Each structure stands twice: as C-alpha cells, then as structure tokens.
Amino acid sequence: IEKIEIVPYFVGTGGNKDNTIQLDEFFKNREVTIVKADIERAELAMLRGGVETFSKKIQQAYICTYHNFDHPFLIKKYLEKYMFKVKFNEGFMLMYDWPSDFDKNMLRPGVIYGERKI
C-alpha cells in the first residue's frame, strides 16, 4: 500500500491556480488522518484551504510554527476551533531576519502538535 504521494502543487487557499491546490479539494474523495507540514510560511494558507479536511478527517497534526511571530498563536487557535488538544514542542527557536534588531518576538515555538478523536 502506498502511504506517500508526491503532488506537484503548492498547498494554500488559491485552489488549483498558479500551481496551488487546497487541501479540501485534494482530499475531497481521499482518506487522510495525519498532516505534517513545514511549508515555509504557507502553513496558515494550508489551514484556510483545509476547513473541511481539518473539521472532519484529520486526527493528528504536526505543523511548524516558527516562520512568523504570530503563527504559534494563530495555528493554535485554528486547531482548537476543531477540537484538537494541542501542545508545543519544548524549547524555542531563535528567529530573526538579519540585520533586524533583536526583539521579544524572536523566540518562537518550533512545532505544534494537535490530536483529537473523531
């Protein structure tokens, strides 16, 4: 049984334009229970294009949160909306765009783990 499929699209909210596909469209007639994503600042776009998928199919999510300073909070809020129990990895990542100044938003959790029973 094939567990991995390489799909030549970006994932997001655009829906099959500019080589972008929504999770809801891709998984419309497919089974999926786990999502793992480190997609370079497109994590929120993936979630926004996956409302049906996350509300009805996904049981476990592992999503990177360190790319933007507000992603940990926004991704946590999204997962909790669909009844996921969430926790962040231990520790923090140091993130900054050189040569920007240091600020309080530089230390970020790296990954959020979400789990729920369907």
Side-chain angles (χ1 to χ4, degrees), residues 28-96:
K28 187 175 188 175
N29 296 312
R30 299 171 189 237
E31 299 219 9
V32 61
T33 58
I34 299 172
V35 167
K36 295 166 81 175
D38 181 2
I39 51 178
E40 306 308 315
R41 299 181 190 232
E43 289 82 4
L44 283 175
M46 173 198 69
L47 295 172
R48 290 180 183 132
V51 171
E52 290 293 313
T53 303
F54 273 86
S55 66
K56 296 179 180 173
K57 295 182 177 186
I58 300 299
Q59 296 174 27
Q60 294 177 323
Y62 308 90
I63 302 172
C64 286
T65 59
Y66 62 88
H67 296 103
N68 287 60
F69 77 93
D70 59 347
H71 278 188
F73 312 104
L74 296 173
I75 294 171
K76 179 179 186 282
K77 182 178 177 180
Y78 181 96
L79 292 175
E80 288 177 338
K81 178 179 178 179
Y82 297 109
M83 309 308 290
F84 283 84
K85 286 180 63 178
V86 298
K87 68 178 182 176
F88 289 99
N89 65 295
E90 292 184 23
F92 295 90
M93 296 184 72
L94 177 63
M95 300 298 297
Y96 64 93

